[in-house]
Amino acid sequence: MLNEIATTAQAVVERSAASVVRLGHGSSAACAVIISDRHLVANAHSIDAERMPVRAADGRTLEASAIGVDHDGDLAVLEVADPGPALAYAEAPPAVGSVVFAVGLAANGPRLTAGLVSAIDDAFRGPHGRRIHGSIEHTAPLAHGSSGSALVD
C-alpha cells in the first residue's frame, strides 16, 4: 500500500509541479498557480509590488505584473509571458474525505504534501474581515513560503 501511495504522489508531482511558480525571493517568497498561458493566481498577501520576479519550475526567471488584486478576498491575478503549462481544473469539487496534495515550489524544487478534504463550501473571514465562501478546507500541511500552492486531487 505504501508503494501505491508513493507512486501516486510521484505521478502528482510529475503532472502538476510545472504548473506552480515561485514568487519573490528569500523569506518573502510564496507560490502561484499557472491558470493560462499568461496568467497566474496567487494569494494577495504574497504580492508586495506591482511587478515582481517569478521563478518557473524549469528554473527560468520571469517578471510578473499584478493585474487584479482583491485584498479582502486575499486573491490576486498576475500576468507573465510564457510561465509554463496551466494546471487543469477538476471536473467537480472534491468530497469530504477525498485525498488531496498540496504542490508548491521551494527554492530547491517541487514541494509536495498530502492530506484529506476536511470540509467543503466552508466560509471564513479574509484578511480584512470579509466573509469568503466556497472554500475547501484540507489537512495537507503547507510549509513557510508555500502560500498560493496548488491543491490537486
Side-chain angles (χ1 to χ4, degrees), residues 20-106:
V20 179
V21 299
R22 191 154 180 84
L23 300 175
H25 13 233
S27 62
S28 65
C31 293
V33 178
I34 302 169
I35 58 170
S36 77
D37 62 347
R38 298 188 61 80
H39 297 103
L40 314 173
V41 66
N43 291 110
H45 71 262
S46 301
I47 308 303
D48 58 6
E50 285 186 35
R51 298 183 70 75
M52 59 190 314
V54 171
R55 184 172 60 86
D58 63 9
R60 292 177 298 135
T61 300
L62 310 166
E63 188 171 275
S65 300
I67 59 172
V69 181
D70 176 0
H71 290 286
D72 287 339
D74 197 23
L75 191 64
V77 175
L78 297 103
E79 186 171 46
V80 62
D82 190 27
L87 190 65
Y89 289 92
E91 297 284 326
V96 172
S98 296
V99 174
V100 290
F101 296 89
V103 182
L105 186 60

